[in-house]
Amino acid sequence: MENTHGRRVRLYPEDVVAGAFGNRYATDYYEGYLPTGPAAHLLTAGGVVGWVASAHARRGEPTVLEVLGLLADRSGRPLSLDDCAMPAPTSARPELGTFVVVGSSMGAGKTTTASALARGWSRTGLRVGAGKVTGSGSGKDRWMYHDAGAAEIVDFLDFGMASTFGYPPQRLRATMVGIRDALVGRGASVVVLEIADGLLQEETRGLAAGLAGFADGVVLAVADALSAVAGVGIMADLGAPVRAVSGLLTASPLASREAAAATGLPVLSPAELIAGGALELLNGAAVPA
């Protein structure tokens, strides 16, 4: 489990930990929901607590927790992460644009792609803001953005949600806009946002439908060429401006050529984004005729 500094610590029987109740939607890990009794499962290393309804065949049994009680304020009122949510920031658009990374599935390379964009821009001296719009609470992605050079980082945790699975669309849409506005308010001149899970997940698809007019560009992270074709088609139906394809697919030059031929879009590996592709996207040079 992650401690308050982001380091993963080993748990032993009888350790006492603090977590936050929430759901989880992770096709490669757990499908989990709020617990209803005195026993619960650790859904994420970040401390999201729930009850596992299904698990990927590769995963072992989840860590079992005994619920000792609820954290409360001085009056005895149970605390919620909502109590710590930042106020809605002033609406603002970044000077150089907002780019959103969406993916075909979990594990498609979304965070690696978003981090590569942040790295590519920050190494040229730009002040980059990075944020994760949806997902389950964990520090891993935040640290990846930080290591890539993002000057400011805001995510859904800052807006009072331990996990976004199950929240109403309007709350998630407001969070996406709020993350962008908060990053701009802190001085970011360009913003990269990551939406978790894949395009078949309800919340992800709903947010993708609102990217037209919000995002200056979308980078689609996929694991294979067929997913690139399907993903570009879904995004086109939603009116979202896909500018390039990246992700795990780019580990294979042959699969990358397949995807480029089938979609007509540039396929850029994380290394290519860092080396100059991110700047080309920013300047519009990577947009196909």
Side-chain angles (χ1 to χ4, degrees):
M1 186 176 183
E2 294 175 353
N3 65 11
T4 55
H5 304 291
R7 185 177 78 84
R8 291 199 172 198
V9 298
R10 183 178 297 278
L11 296 180
Y12 290 91
E14 300 183 7
D15 279 350
V16 177
V17 300
F21 285 144
N23 302 324
R24 189 180 187 191
Y25 184 107
T27 53
D28 289 351
Y29 282 87
Y30 299 135
E31 172 194 9
Y33 299 93
L34 295 175
T36 58
H41 293 138
L42 189 62
L43 297 183
T44 73
V48 178
V49 176
W51 188 260
V52 171
S54 70
H56 193 283
R58 292 199 306 267
R59 305 303 164 191
E61 291 296 317
T63 299
V64 179
L65 305 174
E66 177 190 358
V67 180
L68 300 178
L70 301 178
L71 292 173
D73 61 19
R74 293 177 183 273
S75 68
R77 182 182 65 89
L79 296 176
S80 168
L81 197 59
D82 259 333
D83 300 326
C84 307
M86 67 165 58
T90 302
S91 179
R93 284 181 170 270
E95 176 187 358
L96 300 177
T98 300
F99 288 76
V100 179
V101 177
V102 297
S104 58
S105 65
M106 186 179 186
K110 297 181 294 295
T111 304
T112 301
T113 299
S115 298
L117 287 170
R119 185 64 177 175
W121 294 327
S122 65
R123 68 196 294 265
T124 68
L126 297 179
R127 188 170 180 82
V128 180
K132 190 163 186 180
V133 179
T134 58
S136 299
S138 175
K140 177 176 66 70
D141 295 346
R142 179 182 285 261
W143 288 117
M144 285 186 66
Y145 302 153
H146 175 81
D147 292 344
E152 300 294 341
I153 302 169
V154 178
D155 64 17
F156 59 88
L157 291 163
D158 298 306
F159 283 80
M161 292 175 283
S163 175
T164 57
F165 176 39
Y167 273 87
Q170 60 270 25
R171 172 76 180 266
L172 300 180
R173 169 68 181 175
T175 297
M176 181 169 70
V177 175
I179 291 173
R180 179 204 65 184
D181 294 347
L183 291 168
V184 176
R186 296 180 182 184
S189 60
V190 59
V191 167
V192 56
L193 302 178
E194 177 189 350
I195 300 176
D197 304 310
L199 282 169
L200 297 184
Q201 203 261 10
E202 185 177 353
E203 284 89 354
T204 299
R205 192 182 183 96
L207 285 170
L211 292 180
F214 173 82
D216 296 287
V218 174
V219 178
L220 180 67
V222 299
D224 56 67
L226 187 58
S227 296
V229 174
V232 168
I234 291 172
M235 295 298 282
D237 290 341
L238 298 175
V242 176
R243 298 272 295 276
V245 175
S246 187
L248 189 61
L249 159 89
T250 62
S252 167
L254 181 56
S256 296
R257 294 199 301 271
E258 283 183 348
T263 64
L265 292 170
V267 177
L268 303 172
S269 70
E272 290 170 328
L273 288 172
I274 293 171
L279 205 56
E280 290 179 2
L281 281 173
L282 199 60
N283 296 329
V287 180

